[in-house]
């Protein structure tokens, strides 16, 4: 073979004449002749084997050339032939490569290899392009239909791709490099195969599950090329390109790189790819189409697959943490998280690993405060994974926990949700305790800390004294002593000799009697650092004691002998002997002392570890409790997902018995009424998990656990909490749970006292029985005698709370609670229940029990709900109670003299001075008021509904009694009969309603009715607070009077003035709060009577007591939102509560405006009037509070048309504003609007309204703020208008309106050389057809500041004529100022008289 085949860069290059011995295609077969040539190719393959491609290459090339026009069958035949050729080469080559091969055969095999691989790869690319094109053209339409043939062709190719890749992989796995010279495979051949693989990877569906085999085949083929054919550099570059242009390939590329590094051992490719990504600058990644999202996903998934190999290259990626791309910061943080979870975890890390771990944790902690919310969210999620995997070191718990609690206040909802999830993970996987309560941990911690202190003190006492050996001291003093010795032994001058002689004489005097005492004296000199004295005494001692063995070495006096003698005297003969007195006996040592010391050391270490554990646990519990307080407030956010996470968190902390965890469980209970189904379901499931799925071995044990849990929840629970809990418990008893009967039995045992339980648990049990009775009436109905004997029997006066709760339980079987239809369910008057109730009420009315009244209210309610003729029963009850009180007075009953002296315990009941116990009188009056209220309710609900029921039954019987003939007549004129029946029904209902009203008006307070006897006494007590000053008496009287006023309009109208006087003047906050609630009910019942008094209700919003303000805003919120009260400018009093010092009141006011904002244009209509009222100088509100209120109110103005209209309204208010402060407030209000182009236009049109006020900085600066807001992101045209307007503002502010006519005039004056002519300021136009409103006069004095005679019932006045320019809130000014006097009526219409030039000329 004389030619060589070179893989071309382009298919068309093969038909061009190439170099010497280069193969060139000779014959390009036409499409019509291709089938016959393919048949020849197939025959040659059977006869010659894979080398037939050398002769039939032109046929395969012709298929490539005409690929776009050929039939699918021709291309499939060609593909099958080429696959067989490649497979044939895979079978024949191993035998040839294993033995020596001739050069000619080698060339032949090489050409066949390159030709077959080239044709197969190029045909695969062509078929892939056709397949993708076909899939686009035959994509499903709206009907979801797809071409059948096209779908089949595409499916066939999908199945063939894997076959092609397997054939190529099988071939290239052979050591075919031996066919090339020097085993250097040409780059073009490798590129031919890799381009085919990358072409297949570009398929949009390659990442789908159905293409998993193809995807894996491509990855393995590329792995072979990388490992055997040095494609590592090209693969890394191509991976980067694929990530940059094909976002869906992120996971595929991550999988590929992972396989190449693990299965093929090419770990360097990870470094190459990561280095390429790491070298991308922030500017490149910020550009659109940079593939930053793909890069981040790739890194995240790669770290999940091969976290170990990422550590070596992490330094390259850390630079992106400082970049601008949040996606890359997220990716790097996730990579760090995977490394920390799967590599740098556990206790077996070396010092380097621990250092890396701590550094990575510090990096993650820094990005918990990242500027981008998405980064903060993902970092919190990374920490959640770390905590769930138990990879967080113990010493990091407290720090990360604190950061997570801080993120609960984040502005981003996703960050808050992730922070809650992290905190829940902390609690669920905490290494401290299954019960986290700081209160429970405090005592053990103090106990163990004291024990540790005692152990440390004992250890210090037993610690031996530090012993310093004489040899150590000698070594320290030897250098200085040597110098002193040499100085003493050297010859001295005459003066020094005389001095030494004197010192020697002194030394002689110091010499002791014997040598031993002298030796001791020398040693003492050495110890106190008197070296010169010691040396002189030592030298003198030899002459004094020449025969002494101690000083014998000094016979030859020299420095060495002196030093040896001193050393012997100081250290002794044994150098290791400590410097202790010889008389000191040696310390006895016990045999087991070392073991005892070791045991003490280990015990001390254990105690230190225990104290540290308890300290960390307490710190962790305190942080959890802090998080609970924050998360509990999130239960009522508007974001459903956050509420769901908060509910799950509350469940988690409750399961771990964290302190205050029950508060969150109770707080989320009202969410069972949520309109959001997801929130409601989350709460129901949470309570099922906590309370309704108890753990236990038997049904009895489970029932006891369930009852204990629910009882704990009900202890000290509010009425609202109990009502919400009813919904869940009722659902439990309404289901098919096998625990129902066991739970009911346990509850009855606990209530009756068969099981030892506290009074609180007994009350909880009876309430739970009432909840069960809502689902099944027989639970209570069949045990009424038990309830009466246990709770309402002889011992009822000992526990009125248990009696009250039992009455509530009995109420659950009534029709009013169960809302059942049909004949009313009532019991006879002589039933045991009513006998016990009346007896208990009568006995308690002459007792001083603080819980009697709550029992009495529920008992009277039950009587009216369940008894036949309850009015008769209650009338007897009133007579009996009144007689008991009169008997007590007649007998000189037990009067509490101490109470009369301290707080008016007794009062004069009449002029003769007869005294009565105030508490008993208060209880009797409360009973009368309660009976009056429920009597009215009974008439309007029970009696009225019974009349309707009976009328309906009568009509049904009448229809049944009619014969067939009457029915035939009815069919003749059906419509007229139906109309007549409708009129008759309506007339009957009106008649019944009139009957009820007549009874209330004439009979309830008639002289024959006992109720009328108490009304004068109530009026007397309420109208004479100085005489009747007892707190309970006053409270009960005012409440009872308001209940009497519910009877009829005449009673209400007669005493409304008195009740408002009590509201204004009562010194008791409880009385004022009760009066507000009562007046709210009266407003609903008699709105026309209460309407003129509305301003007095709003006045209580400024009460000095927070509880009264809270009650007032709650009542007014209900009245306004239910459209009982008309919304007026007095809502400004509610707005003031937005800055109330009490957070709960602020939240109520905020809720009021949130609900009011849902009504169309409500806040928009009120804003101008609210601004005028709040900026009134007489109110004296400071600027900061005004701005806070306005910022909240203007946040509800979101519509562009509302903004435009408000700009005009506020600008018009500049005309009537009197003070600079009012100007400033209006300007600030304008700056708070979300200004738009139309708003700017309207602001410019109203220039004359505020231009003369611009010299004030308080007006100029807010308007300048508006221009700054408008300039941001504005279009060039709008920006030019804003700049012109700003210049105009600045000119007027700096030079005054008189000196600035207009921008054009200013420019003209500048061109004329700055002439001194002064511009005449135009007076603002009055506006076409507009008139200025009269300024509202001083606010009406409070009722409490007037005399009693001046407190007259206000009369509604007629509406005054509206001017052309009005505000919706202004239209009702005359109504709200119904009590204004002549002195309060404003006389001046406007403080500044302005007129137009045209008006001046006209006059």
């Amino acid at each position: 073979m004389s030619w060589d085949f070179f893989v071309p860069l382009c298919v068309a290059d093969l038909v061009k004449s190439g170099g010497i011995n280069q193969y060139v295609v000779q014959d390009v077969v036409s499409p019509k002749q291709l089938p016959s040539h393919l048949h020849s190719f197939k025959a040659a393959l059977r006869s010659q084997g894979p080398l037939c491609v050398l002769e039939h290459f032109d046929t395969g090339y012709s298929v490539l050339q005409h690929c776009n026009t050929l039939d699918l069958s021709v291309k499939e035949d060609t593909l099958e032939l080429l696959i067989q050729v490649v497979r044939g080469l895979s079978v024949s080559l191993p035998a040839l490569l294993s033995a020596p091969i001739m050069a000619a055969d080698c060339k032949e095999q090489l050409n066949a290899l390159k030709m077959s691989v080239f044709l197969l790869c190029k045909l695969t690319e062509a078929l892939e392009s056709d397949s993708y094109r076909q899939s686009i053209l035959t994509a499903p339409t709206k009907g979801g239909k797809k071409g059948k043939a096209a779908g089949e062709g595409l499916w066939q190719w999908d199945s063939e791709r894997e076959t092609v890749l397997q054939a190529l992989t099988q071939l290239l796995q052979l050591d075919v490099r031996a066919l090339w010279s020097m085993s250097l495979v040409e780059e073009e051949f490798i590129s031919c195969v890799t381009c085919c693989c990358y072409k297949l990877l570009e398929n949009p569906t390659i990442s789908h599950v159905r293409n998993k085999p193809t995807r894996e085949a491509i990855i393995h083929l590329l792995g072979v090329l990388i490992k055997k054919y040095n494609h590592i550099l090209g693969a890394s570059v191509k991976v980067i390109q694929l990530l940059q242009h094909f976002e869906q390939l992120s996971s595929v590329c991550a999988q590929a790189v992972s396989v190449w590094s693990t299965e093929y051992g090419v770990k360097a490719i990870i470094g190459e790819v990561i280095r390429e990504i790491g070298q991308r600058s922030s500017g490149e990644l910020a550009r659109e189409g940079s593939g930053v999202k793909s890069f981040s996903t790739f890194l995240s998934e790669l770290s999940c697959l091969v976290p170990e190999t990422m550590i070596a290259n992490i330094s390259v990626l850390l630079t992106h943490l400082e970049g601008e791309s949040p996606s890359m910061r997220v990716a790097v943080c996730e990579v760090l998280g995977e490394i920390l979870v799967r590599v740098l975890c556990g206790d077996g890390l070396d010092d380097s690993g621990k250092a890396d771990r701590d550094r990575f944790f510090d990096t993650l902690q820094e990005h918990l405060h990242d500027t981008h919310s998405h980064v903060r969210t993902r970092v919190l999620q990374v920490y959640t994974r770390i905590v769930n995997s138990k990879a967080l070191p113990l010493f990091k718990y407290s720090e990360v926990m604190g950061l997570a609690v801080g993120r609960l206040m984040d502005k981003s909802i996703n960050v808050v949700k992730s922070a809650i999830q992290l905190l829940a993970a902390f609690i669920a996987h905490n290494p401290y305790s299954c019960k986290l309560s700081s209160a429970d941990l405090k005592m053990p911690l103090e106990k163990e800390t004291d024990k540790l202190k005692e152990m440390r003190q004992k250890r210090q006492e037993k610690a031996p004294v530090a012993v310093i050996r004489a040899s150590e001291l000698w070594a320290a003093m030897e250098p200085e002593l040597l110098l002193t010795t040499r100085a003493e032994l050297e010859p001295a001058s005459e003066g020094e000799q005389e001095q030494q002689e004197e010192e020697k004489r002194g030394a002689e005097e110091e010499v002791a009697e014997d040598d031993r005492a002298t030796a001791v004296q020398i040693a003492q000199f050495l110890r106190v650092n008197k070296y010169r004295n010691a040396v002189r005494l030592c030298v003198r001692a030899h002459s004094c004691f020449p025969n002494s063995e101690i000083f014998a070495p000094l016979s030859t006096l020299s420095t060495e002998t002196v030093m040896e003698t001193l050393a012997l005297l100081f250290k002794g003969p044994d150098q290791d002997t400590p410097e202790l007195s010889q008389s000191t006996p040696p310390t006895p040592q016990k045999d087991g002392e070392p073991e005892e010391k070791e045991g003490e050391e280990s015990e001390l270490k254990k105690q230190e570890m225990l104290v540290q554990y308890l300290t960390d646990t307490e710190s962790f519990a305190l942080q959890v409790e802090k998080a609970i307080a924050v998360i509990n407030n999130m239960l009522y956010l508007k974001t459903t997902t956050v509420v769901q996470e908060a509910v799950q968190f509350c469940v988690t902390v409750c399961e771990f018995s964290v302190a205050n965890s029950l508060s969150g469980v109770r707080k989320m209970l009202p969410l069972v009424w949520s309109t959001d189904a997801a929130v409601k379901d989350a709460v129901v499931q949470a309570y099922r998990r906590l309370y309704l799925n108890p753990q236990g071995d038997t049904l009895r044990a489970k029932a006891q656990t369930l009852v204990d849990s629910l009882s704990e929840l009900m202890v000290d629970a509010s009425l609202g909490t109990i009502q919400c809990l009813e919904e869940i418990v009722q659902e439990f008893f309404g289901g098919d749970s096998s625990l129902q009967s066991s739970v009911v039995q346990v509850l009855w045992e606990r209530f009756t006292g068969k099981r030892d339980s506290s009074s609180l648990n007994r009350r909880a049990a009876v309430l739970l029985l009432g909840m069960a009775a809502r689902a099944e009436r027989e639970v209570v109905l069949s045990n009424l005698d038990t309830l009466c004997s246990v709770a309402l029997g002889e011992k009822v006066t000992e526990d009125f709370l248990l009696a009250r709760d039992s009455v509530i339980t009995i109420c659950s079987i009534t029709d009013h609670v169960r809302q059942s239809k049909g004949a009313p369910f009532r019991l006879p008057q002589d039933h045991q229940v009513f006998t016990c109730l009346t007896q208990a009420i009568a006995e308690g009315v002459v007792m001083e029990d603080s819980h009697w009244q709550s029992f009495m209210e529920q008992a009277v309610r039950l009587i009216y709900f369940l008894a036949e003729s309850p009015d008769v029963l209650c009338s007897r009850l009133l007579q009996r109670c009144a007689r008991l009180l009169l008997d007590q007075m007649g007998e000189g009953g037990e009067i509490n003299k101490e109470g009369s002296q301290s707080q008016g315990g007794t009062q004069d009941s009449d002029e003769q001075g007869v005294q009565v116990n105030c508490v008993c009188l208060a209880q009797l009056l409360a009973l009368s008021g309660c009976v009056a209220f429920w009597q009215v309710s009974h008439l309007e609900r029970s009696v009225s509904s019974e009349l309707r029921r009976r009328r309906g039954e009568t009509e049904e019987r009448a229809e049944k009694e009619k014969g067939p003939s009457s029915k035939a007549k009815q069919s003749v004129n059906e419509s007229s009969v139906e109309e007549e029946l409708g009129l008759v029904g309506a007339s009957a209902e009106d008649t019944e309603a009139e009957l009820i009203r007549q009874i209330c008006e004439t009979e309830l307070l008639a002289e024959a009715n006992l109720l009328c006897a108490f009304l004068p006494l109530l009026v007397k007590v309420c109208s004479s607070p100085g005489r009747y000053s007892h707190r309970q008496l006053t409270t009960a009287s005012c409440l009872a009077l308001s209940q009497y006023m519910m009877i009829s309009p005449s009673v209400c109208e007669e005493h409304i003035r008195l009740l408002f006087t009590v509201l204004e003047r009562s010194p008791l906050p409880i009385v004022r709060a009760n009066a507000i609630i009562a007046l709210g009910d009266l407003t609903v019942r008699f709105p026309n009577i209460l309407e003129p008094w509305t301003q007095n209700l709003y006045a209580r919003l400024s009460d000095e007591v927070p509880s009264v303000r809270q009650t007032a805003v709650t009542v007014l919120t209900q009245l306004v939102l239910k459209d009982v009260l008309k919304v007026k400018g007095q809502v400004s009093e509610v707005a003031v509560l937005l800055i109330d010092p009490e957070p709960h009141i602020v939240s109520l006011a905020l809720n009021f405006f949130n609900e009011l904002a849902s009504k169309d244009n409500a806040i928009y209509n009120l804003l101008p009037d609210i601004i005028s009222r709040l900026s009134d100088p007489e109110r004296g509100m400071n600027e900061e509070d005004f701005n806070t209120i306005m910022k909240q109110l203007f946040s509800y103005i979101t519509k562009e048309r509302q903004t435009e209209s408000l700009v005009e309204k506020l600008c018009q208010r500049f005309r009537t504003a009197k003070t600079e402060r009012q100007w400033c407030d209006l300007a600030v209000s304008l700056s708070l609007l979300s200004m738009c182009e139309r708003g700017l236009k309207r602001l410019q049109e109203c220039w004359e309204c505020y231009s003369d006020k611009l010299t004030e900085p308080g007006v100029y600066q807010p308007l300048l703020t508006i221009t700054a807001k408008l300039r941001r992101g504005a279009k060039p045209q709008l920006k030019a208008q804003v700049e012109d307007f700003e210049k105009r503002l600045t000119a007027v502010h700096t030079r005054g309106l008189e000196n600035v006519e207009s921008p054009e005039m200013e420019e003209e004056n500048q061109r004329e050389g700055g002439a001194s002519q002064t511009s005449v300021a135009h007076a603002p136009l009055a506006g076409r057809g507009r008139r200025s409103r009269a300024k509202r006069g001083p606010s009406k004095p409070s009722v409490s500041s007037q005399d009693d005679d001046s407190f007259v019932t206000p009369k509604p006045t007629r509406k005054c004529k509206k001017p052309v320019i009005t505000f919706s809130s202004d239209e009702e000014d005359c109504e709200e100022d119904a009590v204004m006097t002549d002195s309060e009526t404003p006389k001046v219409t406007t403080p500044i008289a302005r007129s137009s030039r045209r008006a001046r000329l006209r006059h």
Side-chain angles (χ1 to χ4, degrees), residues 586-601:
T587 304
Q589 298 289 334
K590 296 182 180 180
D591 296 338
E593 190 171 355
E595 290 78 3
E596 183 180 350
K597 288 184 178 180
E598 290 180 2
E600 292 177 357
E601 288 292 333

Side-chain angles (χ1 to χ4, degrees), residues 11 14-15 23-44 52-67 70 74-75 77-79 81-82 85 115 118-120 123:
V11 177
L14 286 174
V15 297
Y23 179 82
V24 177
V25 176
Q26 302 296 325
D27 182 19
V28 178
V29 184
S30 64
K32 292 182 179 180
Q33 298 174 347
L34 272 176
S36 60
H37 283 73
L38 285 174
H39 183 72
S40 302
F41 191 178
K42 188 180 298 183
C52 67
V53 72
L54 299 173
E55 299 177 1
H56 295 275
F57 177 82
D58 292 357
T59 303
Y61 180 82
S62 301
V63 173
L64 293 178
Q65 284 290 87
H66 304 297
C67 193
L70 290 176
V74 175
K75 291 185 277 190
D77 291 343
T78 307
L79 181 65
L81 283 172
L82 293 174
V85 170
M115 284 181 169
F118 170 78
L119 289 175
L120 182 58
L123 182 59

Side-chain angles (χ1 to χ4, degrees), residues 843-899:
E843 290 180 3
V845 79
V846 292
M847 297 174 58
E848 296 186 13
D849 193 309
S850 59
H851 303 299
W852 175 87
Q853 184 166 346
S854 61
F855 160 71
M856 177 271 297
E857 292 171 353
Q858 294 297 331
V860 173
R861 173 173 174 259
L862 177 61
I863 290 173
Y864 274 97
F865 279 4
L866 198 59
E868 294 283 357
S869 302
D871 50 344
V872 178
L873 199 60
C874 287
S875 178
R876 295 173 186 169
L877 177 61
L878 277 175
Q879 288 179 347
R880 182 177 177 181
C881 294
R883 190 179 298 110
L884 286 173
L885 190 60
L886 290 173
D887 292 343
Q888 186 189 63
M889 293 167 54
E891 296 172 0
E894 300 179 2
I895 302 173
N896 188 352
K897 295 182 179 180
E898 296 180 1

Side-chain angles (χ1 to χ4, degrees), residues 339 813 975 1173:
I339 293 173
I813 68 174
S975 61
R1173 288 170 180 263

Side-chain angles (χ1 to χ4, degrees), residues 673-686:
W673 311 105
S674 174
T675 55
D676 193 330
V679 173
K680 180 178 180 180
D681 184 63
V683 175
V684 172
Q685 293 300 326

Side-chain angles (χ1 to χ4, degrees), residues 105-164:
D105 295 338
C106 181
K107 180 185 290 189
E108 186 179 46
Q109 293 291 337
L110 180 59
N111 287 331
L113 173 66
K114 290 194 287 187
M115 284 181 169
S116 58
V117 170
F118 170 78
L119 289 175
L120 182 58
C121 291
K122 294 302 177 183
L123 182 59
T124 301
E125 293 180 21
L127 289 173
E128 179 67 18
S129 299
D130 292 344
S131 173
Y132 179 63
R133 193 181 308 113
Q134 203 172 24
S135 65
I136 294 176
L137 295 175
T138 60
T141 58
K142 290 183 179 179
K145 296 181 179 180
K146 186 189 292 187
K148 184 176 180 182
E152 290 178 355
L154 181 60
W155 174 251
Q156 290 174 0
W157 168 238
D158 288 345
S159 62
E160 290 294 329
R161 268 191 304 225
E162 186 180 356
T163 307
V164 173

